């Protein structure tokens, strides 16, 4: 598929999506959102792709937010259509049953922070800056930020950040649990590829059920969620790769997974 506003590469079993609209620091207008949506379809529909990394082009920005010039004159109805479109795309990142991580290389503000929060986990460059500055524009987050931020970090910290619009640098993002690793800028993509190589070496059904179990389980009460886990773990035992994984352990050799 041809993309105008992002780069799409596949290396081994991992797709690398690079948000690429440098003149606006990769801000999310309708065109780049449509490209992202198509890239997600490519990831979901291609069995050779087992996982993906989303990053931003250039050294300065991951994604600097929703496109302010596009939405500045919106009516409430127009804003609703735009926000719903982006929400639906970000929800797809969670719904696709393959791991998708964010490699945050610079500004992840507003919709940019919301994009990386929709991913399964985040690595950050030392130069990354995270924030939800919407209150300074007279709005609030609209791409899921007021819901995903308090689910990822302590709700009090989330509210402090949402209400003040204060940015956090990579070291603070690590401290509050927004990212799981901070890398030197040059190491961000290599380190992201390294963890994804480890992840995609595992059986596809294990990856799928881990993601589904966490995402669906977090939306329900503990005992229903543990019930879901029970269904999924039992299903694991129907796969050849489970037999191989356990046989290989008992035979003290590396497993040769098929999926
Ligand atoms: N939308 C549209 N254009 C943007 C943009 C955005 N979110 N962020 C940056 N740009 C554009 C700038 O307008 C500028 O374009 P011109 O060269 O044509 O003037 C270009 O990108 C470079 O930006 P700056 O000159 O501002 O670069 P800087 O280094 O001085 O500052 C920055 C970088 C701190 C990220 C600053 O650009 C900034 O504050 N951007 C806006 C961040 C923001 O408020 N994001 C939230 C948007 S609202 C949102 O996302 C709501 C939601 O949940 C739906």
């Amino acid at each position: 598929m041809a993309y105008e506003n992002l780069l799409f590469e596949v290396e081994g079993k991992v797709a690398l999506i690079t948000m690429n609209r440098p003149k606006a620091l990769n801000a999310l207008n309708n065109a780049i959102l449509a490209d992202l949506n198509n890239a997600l379809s490519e990831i979901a529909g291609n069995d050779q792709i087992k996982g993906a990394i989303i990053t931003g082009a250039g050294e300065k920005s991951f994604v600097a937010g929703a496109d302010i010039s596009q939405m500045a004159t919106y009516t409430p109805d127009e804003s609703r259509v735009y926000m719903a479109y982006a929400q639906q795309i970000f929800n797809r990142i969670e719904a696709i049953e393959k791991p998708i991580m964010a490699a945050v290389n610079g500004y992840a503000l507003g919709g940019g922070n919301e994009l990386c929060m929709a991913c399964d986990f985040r690595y950050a460059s030392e130069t990354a800056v995270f924030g939800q500055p919407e209150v300074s524009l007279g709005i609030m987050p609209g791409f899921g930020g007021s819901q995903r931020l308090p689910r990822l970090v302590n709700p009090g910290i989330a509210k402090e950040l949402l209400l003040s619009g204060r940015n956090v640098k990579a070291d603070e993002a690590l401290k509050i649990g927004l990212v799981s690793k901070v890398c030197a800028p040059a190491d961000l993509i290599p380190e992201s590829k390294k963890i994804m190589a480890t992840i995609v070496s595992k059986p596809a059904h294990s990856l799928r059920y881990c993601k589904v179990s966490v995402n669906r389980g977090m939306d329900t009460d503990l005992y229903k969620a543990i019930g879901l886990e029970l269904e999924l773990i039992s299903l694991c035992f129907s796969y050849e790769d489970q037999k191989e994984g356990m046989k290989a352990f008992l035979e003290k050799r590396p497993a040769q997974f098929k999926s």
Side-chain angles (χ1 to χ4, degrees), residues 148-212:
R148 289 197 174 94
L149 190 59
R151 283 166 171 76
L152 273 175
V153 306
N154 167 320
I157 294 174
K159 282 191 257 184
E160 183 216 323
L161 297 178
L162 293 165
L163 295 170
S164 66
R166 178 173 78 79
N167 290 344
V168 302
K169 293 188 176 156
D171 54 348
E172 189 178 354
L174 181 66
K175 207 165 76 187
I176 63 177
L178 186 53
V179 303
S180 45
K181 187 169 187 157
V182 177
C183 311
D187 294 338
L188 177 66
I189 296 301
E191 285 296 319
S192 301
K193 286 182 174 172
K194 199 164 136 194
I195 189 66
M196 284 307 293
T198 301
I199 289 171
V200 300
S201 72
K202 312 301 178 195
H205 74 270
S206 294
L207 301 179
R208 184 162 70 243
Y209 294 155
C210 281
K211 178 165 176 173
V212 167

Side-chain angles (χ1 to χ4, degrees), residues 21-25 27 60 64-69 71 82-83 107 109-112 114 132-134 137 139-143:
R21 207 182 150 230
K23 65 175 188 230
L25 301 183
K60 200 164 159 184
D67 191 303
I68 299 168
S69 59
M71 66 181 164
Y82 174 52
M83 304 298 163
Y107 290 115
L109 299 177
E114 291 167 302
Q132 297 290 158
E134 288 86 352
L137 298 167
I139 56 169
M140 61 173 285
F143 293 180

Side-chain angles (χ1 to χ4, degrees), residues 5-171:
N5 296 286
L6 60 77
L7 310 173
F8 189 91
E9 302 155 76
V10 181
E11 208 175 285
K13 296 173 178 173
V14 178
L16 179 65
I17 297 176
T18 306
M19 307 299 285
N20 186 27
R21 207 182 150 230
K23 65 175 188 230
L25 301 183
N26 309 323
L28 301 168
N29 64 3
N30 281 329
I32 194 169
L33 284 170
D35 275 355
L36 177 60
N37 200 25
N38 288 331
L40 293 175
S41 298
E42 206 164 333
I43 288 162
N46 184 342
D47 286 346
Q48 304 305 310
I49 298 174
K50 282 182 72 180
I53 303 169
I54 302 181
T55 193
E59 285 168 13
K60 200 164 159 184
S61 184
F62 172 71
V63 165
D67 191 303
I68 299 168
S69 59
Q70 181 183 293
M71 66 181 164
T73 57
Y74 274 173
T75 63
D77 281 350
E78 286 167 340
S79 82
R80 193 183 175 85
V81 170
Y82 174 52
M83 304 298 163
Y85 181 52
Q87 283 188 1
Q88 171 232 312
I89 295 167
F90 288 13
N91 293 349
R92 280 191 79 201
I93 295 174
E94 286 174 339
I96 289 172
E97 296 174 349
K98 298 178 181 182
I100 301 179
M101 72 171 289
V104 181
N105 54 305
Y107 290 115
L109 299 177
N113 194 40
E114 291 167 302
L115 171 60
C116 78
M117 289 194 296
C119 294
D120 295 312
F121 64 96
R122 290 141 290 282
Y123 279 10
S125 154
E126 287 162 352
T127 57
V129 177
F130 301 81
Q132 297 290 158
E134 288 86 352
V135 287
S136 306
L137 298 167
I139 56 169
M140 61 173 285
F143 293 180
S146 67
Q147 301 309 310
R148 289 197 174 94
L149 190 59
R151 283 166 171 76
L152 273 175
V153 306
N154 167 320
I157 294 174
K159 282 191 257 184
E160 183 216 323
L161 297 178
L162 293 165
L163 295 170
S164 66
R166 178 173 78 79
N167 290 344
V168 302
K169 293 188 176 156
D171 54 348

